[in-house]
Amino acid sequence: MRILVVGAGATGGFFGGRLAQAGRDVTFLVRERRAQQLRRDGLVIVSPNGDVTLTPKLVTGDELGADYDLVFFTVKSYGLDQAIADIAPAVGPETMILPVLNGMRHLDVLVERFGEHRVLGGLCAISGTLDADGTIRQLAQQPQHVAYGDRKDPRSARLQAVHEQFSDAGFPTTLPPDIIQSMWQKWVFLSSMATITCLMRGPIGQVVAAPGGTQFAESVVAECAAIATANGHPMPADELDRTLTTVTTPGSTFAASMFRDLSQGYPIEADHIIGDLLARAEAHDVPAPLVRLAYTHLSVYQQSLAR
């Protein structure tokens, strides 16, 4: 299977690098600056689970042409439109597209551009960062993982072909029976974390130590879970308990990646993760005042970046 990994940052570089290390046929679609860096230094992964330096197969947008069997879509949501334009030459009649972006809006955009049958569902968990020198650094020891599914037929032959490629490649994989439900569960968790830590401008431990902090965090989770329920994807009790425990743990240094990006003056995925969730709340008349406040707050930040 010919695999095109879109992006070689912390997510694409890590999972694509492990796939390449396991002998899969992987090519990275990257910008020219990143291509120069990778040609000079190699693809470097520093991880508690094993370091590696690879000589990756690379292609830039103006060089892309041949059909690929699988496009592994790992870019941030604010790079979605440009990445879609970039990959178009690589998408043939039977090409599968596996996105692991957060939220749900990207599925609608990809389906509109490439058709319902090409787009799989997927998500990943990774705690990592891209250093200034291009090194991909895994921040947590627990294995990073990828989950994926055929949105229409969870037992399809093409999904099994993808699973064969991703299995035993240096990270755990799962085949949820309902990938859309799994994506919603992750979305509730991420949007809760982002709303809490970005709005309060601090990690979970600082929030719950503040007067009213625990009640605030619980109220945010309740809003996000209510939105999911109204859209036909209620949170299972164990997942809801796990989320509530995570956002109310005293002394926790845990914070959303959006908060880390916000703190460093980087672009954020506010529209894709918080704004789209709020739109789906409004479509079902679900009150979400805290999520709305967070979106207003983050929108002001995005305006400052634009200036």
Side-chain angles (χ1 to χ4, degrees):
M1 180 177 287
R2 299 188 66 213
I3 302 172
L4 180 68
V5 178
V6 185
T11 301
F14 178 84
F15 290 115
R18 292 304 193 200
L19 286 166
Q21 186 182 6
R24 309 304 192 259
D25 184 355
V26 174
T27 301
F28 292 90
L29 174 60
V30 293
R31 302 284 180 226
E32 183 57 40
R33 180 180 177 184
R34 181 63 168 148
Q36 292 176 5
Q37 192 176 51
L38 291 169
R39 292 187 186 108
R40 182 184 67 243
D41 303 324
L43 178 67
V44 182
I45 299 173
V46 175
S47 165
N49 301 311
D51 301 347
V52 65
T53 299
L54 304 167
T55 302
K57 292 168 60 177
L58 305 173
V59 65
T60 56
D62 58 343
E63 300 168 335
L64 193 60
D67 291 351
Y68 287 82
D69 300 300
L70 178 69
V71 177
F72 188 40
F73 219 88
T74 70
V75 298
K76 293 283 192 177
S77 62
Y78 43 76
L80 178 63
D81 292 340
Q82 183 59 56
I84 286 175
D86 289 343
I87 69 168
V91 178
E94 300 303 323
T95 301
M96 293 173 284
I97 300 173
L98 172 55
V100 289
L101 286 74
N102 296 317
M104 302 294 294
R105 180 178 171 272
H106 60 280
L107 292 183
D108 298 333
V109 176
L110 287 166
V111 165
E112 181 179 359
R113 176 61 180 83
F114 296 110
E116 186 78 36
H117 70 287
R118 289 194 179 95
V119 182
L120 303 174
L123 59 90
C124 70
I126 180 167
S127 178
T129 187
L130 184 68
D131 290 350
D133 65 357
T135 298
I136 296 160
R137 192 172 302 276
Q138 185 179 339
L139 301 178
Q141 186 163 3
Q142 65 265 31
Q144 318 302 280
H145 78 269
V146 179
Y148 36 79
D150 191 318
R151 296 177 302 117
K152 300 301 181 183
D153 181 4
R155 297 183 180 180
S156 68
R158 67 175 188 163
L159 182 62
Q160 291 303 317
V162 172
H163 190 47
E164 289 176 7
Q165 293 290 310
F166 277 67
S167 296
D168 301 318
F171 51 85
T173 59
T174 55
L175 284 169
D178 184 346
I179 187 61
I180 299 300
Q181 174 67 27
S182 296
M183 292 172 67
W184 266 97
Q185 289 171 199
K186 183 184 179 185
W187 196 8
V188 167
F189 177 79
L190 284 179
S191 57
S192 297
M193 285 293 302
T195 295
I196 294 165
T197 59
C198 291
L199 200 52
M200 294 295 105
R201 291 299 183 101
I204 291 298
Q206 292 180 12
V207 174
V208 300
T214 297
Q215 293 82 359
F216 162 73
E218 291 172 342
S219 296
V220 170
V221 173
E223 284 188 11
C224 295
I227 297 168
T229 298
N231 282 269
H233 297 279
M235 289 282 283
D238 59 339
E239 286 292 329
L240 189 59
D241 288 345
R242 182 179 72 87
T243 300
L244 285 168
T245 297
T246 302
V247 303
T248 57
T249 300
S252 172
T253 59
F254 197 34
S257 59
M258 191 184 298
F259 170 69
R260 294 197 297 269
D261 291 339
L262 181 76
S263 302
Q264 297 178 74
Y266 294 160
I268 57 175
E269 297 183 290
D271 296 332
H272 200 82
I273 296 177
I274 304 298
D276 188 46
L277 186 71
L278 184 61
R280 294 172 195 252
E282 293 171 344
H284 293 276
D285 297 320
V286 178
L290 296 176
V291 175
R292 181 181 298 281
L293 181 61
Y295 186 53
T296 301
H297 175 70
L298 295 169
S299 296
V300 171
Y301 169 79
Q302 290 187 135
Q303 289 178 41
S304 69
L305 284 187
R307 289 197 299 271

